[in-house]
């Protein structure tokens, strides 16, 4: 039987549940990040190194106009950066969806493999991408015009990913569902994400300081950033997953049986256990 309960939680209980799942499901969680996100982080780091080398080798005195900077950077570098940004967006959506599957299955006592989690997240990739695109546009506009509305939207929509994965709904529907679930609980939701963000920032700083002491940005620093990403990327997505489940338990009749019936539908293959 699982030792995790689907119930309303305080902020501290939410964080405790996230780390309990993280430690219990450490291998599939970090493997998901290593397979999906880490290659993009590595390529982005290599691209940054190349750009730094180009800027360092350029004749700074000859750069007098913006067009001169463009000549140094080169159009192909900009195109590559845009491509990596798009790939990073897709990887982030897929990673978060797969992490949600692992989190939900942890509440059901299932030892889901990383392959099965990714397979099921792939089936929800479209809604996850559409939802994340609308999320990014809405929050960005909110911050541009008025900072507070952007923050409200970010918190109100923060659990759209788990809603899209578990409830099998579209991206825009998932945003609306998240908005409904977080109503009346946005301060605690914000608090949970802030606490996790601080923890991730501290862990990243400690790992970075322990592994790298060179003041210059080198390929070794790129590798360190990849390691940090693998270890920390699942935490924010897991926080969203735990919050989603506890919000549903707070607002409506919701238990493991209901979660299992929604997550493992008859038209889907049975989850792998290992």
């Amino acid at each position: 039987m699982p030792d995790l309960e689907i119930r309303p939680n305080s902020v501290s209980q939410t964080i405790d549940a996230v780390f309990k799942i993280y430690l219990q499901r450490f291998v599939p969680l970090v493997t998901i990040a290593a397979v999906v996100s880490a290659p993009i982080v590595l390529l982005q780091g290599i691209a940054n190194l190349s750009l730094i080398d180009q800027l360092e080798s350029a004749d700074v005195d000859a750069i007098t106009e913006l067009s001169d900077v463009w000549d140094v950077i080169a159009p192909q570098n900009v195109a590559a950066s845009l491509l990596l940004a798009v790939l990073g967006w897709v990887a982030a959506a897929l990673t978060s969806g797969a992490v949600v599957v692992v989190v939900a299955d942890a509440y059901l006592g299932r030892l889901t493999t990383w392959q099965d989690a990714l397979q099921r997240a792939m089936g929800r990739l479209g809604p996850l991408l559409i939802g994340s695109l609308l999320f990014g546009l809405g929050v960005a506009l909110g911050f541009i015009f008025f900072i507070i509305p952007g923050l409200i939207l970010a918190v109100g929509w923060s659990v759209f990913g788990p809603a899209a994965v578990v409830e099998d709904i579209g991206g825009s529907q998932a945003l609306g569902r998240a908005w409904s679930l977080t109503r009346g609980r946005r301060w605690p939701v914000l608090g949970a994400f802030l606490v996790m963000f601080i923890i991730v920032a501290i862990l990243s700083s400690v790992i970075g300081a322990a592994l790298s002491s060179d003041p210059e940005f080198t390929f070794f620093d790129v590798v360190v950033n990849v390691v940090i990403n693998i270890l920390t990327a699942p935490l924010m997505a897991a926080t969203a997953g735990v919050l989603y489940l506890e919000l549903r338990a707070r607002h409506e009749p919701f238990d493991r049986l209901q979660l299992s019936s929604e997550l493992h539908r008859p038209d889907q293959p049975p989850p792998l256990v290992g």
Side-chain angles (χ1 to χ4, degrees):
M1 290 292 292
D3 58 354
L4 293 160
E5 294 185 28
I6 302 177
R7 64 183 183 186
N9 288 329
S10 65
V11 171
S12 62
Q13 289 172 328
T14 297
I15 300 301
D16 180 68
V18 170
F19 277 100
K20 181 178 292 186
I21 294 170
Y22 181 77
L23 294 176
Q24 290 179 352
R25 304 296 192 271
F26 180 78
V27 172
L29 287 173
V30 298
T31 304
I32 289 168
V35 171
V36 182
S37 298
I40 308 300
V41 176
L42 178 61
L43 290 175
Q44 289 173 335
I46 293 173
N48 290 335
L49 274 178
S50 176
L51 180 58
I52 291 172
D53 290 339
Q54 290 183 39
L55 292 174
E56 288 179 347
S57 61
D59 185 357
V60 178
D61 295 332
I63 300 177
T64 58
E65 299 180 1
L66 186 60
S67 59
D68 296 328
V69 177
W70 176 263
D71 291 337
V72 172
I73 295 177
Q76 59 266 29
N77 289 336
V78 176
S81 297
L82 290 174
L83 176 60
L84 288 174
V86 172
L87 291 175
W89 166 51
V90 175
L94 184 57
T95 298
S96 64
V99 168
V100 167
V101 172
V102 174
V103 168
D105 275 346
Y107 277 89
L108 300 175
R110 299 174 184 266
L111 299 176
T112 308
T113 65
W114 65 268
Q115 298 99 320
D116 179 59
L118 282 177
Q119 180 183 6
R120 285 191 275 160
M122 278 294 297
R124 305 301 302 147
L125 184 57
L128 287 169
L129 289 175
I130 293 173
S132 64
L133 179 61
L134 295 175
F135 178 97
L137 290 174
V139 172
L141 288 174
F143 275 108
I144 288 173
F145 293 105
F146 304 99
I147 294 177
I148 299 301
L151 183 60
I152 293 173
L153 287 176
V155 176
W157 289 342
S158 59
V159 297
F160 85 89
V165 171
V166 175
E167 299 182 47
D168 194 25
I169 55 180
S172 60
Q173 290 176 291
L175 291 172
R177 178 68 165 140
W179 186 261
S180 175
L181 287 173
T182 56
R183 185 177 290 114
R185 295 293 300 170
R186 286 171 192 151
W187 280 113
V189 169
L190 175 61
F193 277 113
L194 281 178
V195 170
M196 185 55 68
F197 177 82
I198 292 171
I199 292 173
V200 169
I202 293 173
L203 288 174
S204 300
S205 299
V206 170
I207 296 171
L211 296 181
S212 179
S213 59
D214 194 334
E216 294 186 5
F217 188 71
T218 65
F219 180 74
F220 182 73
D221 294 297
V222 173
V223 175
V224 170
N225 287 338
V226 171
V227 172
I228 291 172
N229 177 267
I230 291 173
L231 294 175
T232 62
L235 288 172
M236 295 301 288
T239 302
V242 171
L243 282 170
Y244 165 79
L245 296 176
E246 79 96 359
L247 287 169
R248 286 197 65 178
R250 186 180 295 273
H251 290 301
E252 59 195 46
F254 187 70
D255 54 17
R256 294 191 184 105
L257 182 61
Q258 180 67 23
L259 173 61
S260 181
S261 66
E262 292 182 10
L263 192 64
H264 307 294
R265 298 173 185 83
D267 60 331
Q268 295 179 340
L272 302 174
V273 178

